Amino acid sequence: MKHALVIGGTGMLSGVSLWLAENNYYVSVVARDPHKMERMIKRSANPSKLMPIFVDYSHEDELRRALLPPIRQPGPFDLVVAWIHSYANGALYTVAEIVSKNNNRWKLYHLLGSNRDADAVKASLAIPDNCDYHQVQLGFVIENNRSRWLTNDEISAGTIAAIRNRNDNYTLIGESGPWHRWPGNV
């Protein structure tokens, strides 16, 4: 059985967590809110494949301790999907370090906000040699000459498409520009 780690998996990536559980993964989900976790698990056709990890990922020592038990049982992570806010810059490094030590080869799908410079983010990371790194950048949608941010369902669908199309190192969900069309600028 494959094992996935989803950071941000009870909110905008809840559809990704559920999809992975439906596609033969054990899914360890990092979350802070037990109520959101409970709601997501209730939506699952395979609730026994969803394993909560309650931790604030911005506390790197706590994150490190929280990730070790799921690596031991059910086993190393094959896939990591990470939506990590910029205030917790060290969390992705902590995850990569732990996952790489306990794995031969693994895939990382790193979600980036629409205002992040994907090339600069990638250049700033120390990507382990045994990691296949992919970026998924969030954009916006233009409908009826108006712009809006992506919905959680659209973000999950775009992330799932990126995972399915494993050869692309960069996926944009929605539109990235022009700047004057960003929601709030129109």
Side-chain angles (χ1 to χ4, degrees), residues 84-161:
I84 297 175
H85 292 277
S86 59
Y87 66 80
N89 286 331
L92 189 61
Y93 174 78
T94 299
V95 169
E97 177 188 18
I98 290 169
V99 174
S100 287
K101 282 183 183 176
N102 292 284
N103 229 351
N104 289 328
R105 193 109 204 119
W106 61 286
K107 294 175 179 58
L108 170 60
Y109 288 83
H110 182 198
L111 275 77
L112 305 175
S114 56
N115 62 345
R116 301 285 302 271
D117 180 333
D119 292 331
V121 168
K122 186 174 181 180
S124 72
L125 297 174
I127 300 166
D129 290 337
N130 62 339
C131 173
D132 295 325
Y133 178 77
H134 306 268
Q135 290 179 325
V136 180
Q137 185 134 35
L138 307 181
F140 60 91
V141 175
I142 299 174
E143 292 178 328
N144 300 322
N145 208 27
R146 296 184 56 103
S147 59
R148 65 167 175 80
W149 295 117
L150 297 164
T151 66
N152 288 352
D153 289 342
E154 290 167 336
I155 292 167
S156 284
T159 303
I160 291 166

Side-chain angles (χ1 to χ4, degrees), residues 1-4 20-27 49 78-79:
M1 180 77 60
K2 299 174 283 187
H3 190 188
L20 288 167
E22 291 168 8
N23 283 275
N24 212 28
Y25 277 88
Y26 282 114
V27 186
K49 290 185 177 179
D78 303 290
L79 172 70

Side-chain angles (χ1 to χ4, degrees), residues 6 8-14 17 29-33 36-38 40 43:
V6 182
T10 61
M12 68 181 207
L13 293 176
S14 62
S17 298
V29 182
V30 171
R32 291 177 299 197
D33 186 337
K36 286 174 81 174
M37 179 68 75
E38 184 179 329
M40 185 200 55
R43 291 176 40 212

